[in-house]
């Protein structure tokens, strides 16, 4: 499970068994959890909230999503390296 970033106490990562899904990251406070928040990356370099299972407050979630969008190319590169996949599928 690659840990990409730690931002304001939140871990941003992806699970190692989810390469059949569209590219996305999980976010949770402290350490990875099964009820993490899931955020899809979009084709245009943005992101969309899939769910907020870890109940991140709206203001913090907005900042985290802005950070994730700003790191779009890095996240895509790490996804490709980890899953050894030249093709990335996007949610939209």
């Amino acid at each position: 499970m690659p840990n990409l970033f730690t931002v304001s106490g939140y871990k941003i990562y992806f699970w190692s068994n989810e390469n059949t899904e569209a590219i996305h990251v999980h976010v949770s406070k402290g350490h990875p959890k099964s009820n993490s928040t899931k955020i899809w990356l979009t084709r245009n370099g943005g992101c969309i909230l899939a769910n907020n299972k870890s109940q991140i407050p709206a203001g913090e979630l907005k900042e985290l999503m802005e950070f994730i969008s700003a790191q779009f190319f890095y996240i895509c590169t790490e996804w490709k390296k980890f899953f050894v996949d030249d093709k990335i599928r996007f949610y939209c």
Side-chain angles (χ1 to χ4, degrees):
M1 180 234 12
N3 179 39
L4 301 169
F5 309 100
T6 301
V7 178
S8 300
Y10 288 95
K11 296 279 187 197
I12 301 172
Y13 55 95
F14 43 82
W15 294 112
S16 58
N17 63 343
E18 294 187 337
N19 61 315
T20 58
E21 293 187 44
I23 187 169
H24 64 280
V25 294
H26 294 271
V27 182
S28 56
K29 191 78 165 184
H31 56 84
K33 299 176 179 114
S34 59
N35 66 334
S36 61
T37 293
K38 184 175 185 176
I39 299 171
W40 300 107
L41 274 67
T42 63
R43 215 174 248 99
N44 67 359
C47 59
I48 296 173
L49 181 65
N51 69 58
N52 189 10
K53 289 183 181 176
S54 57
Q55 300 177 347
I56 299 171
E60 292 177 22
L61 183 58
K62 181 179 184 270
E63 289 178 12
L64 287 163
M65 290 181 70
E66 288 173 2
F67 177 83
I68 290 165
S69 291
Q71 299 301 321
F72 175 84
F73 292 109
Y74 176 78
I75 294 168
C76 288
T77 299
E78 291 302 303
W79 183 277
K80 283 180 173 183
K81 280 194 320 194
F82 187 78
F83 293 118
V84 191
D85 190 358
D86 288 338
K87 257 188 173 174
I88 291 180
R89 292 166 295 287
F90 291 96
Y91 178 73
C92 63

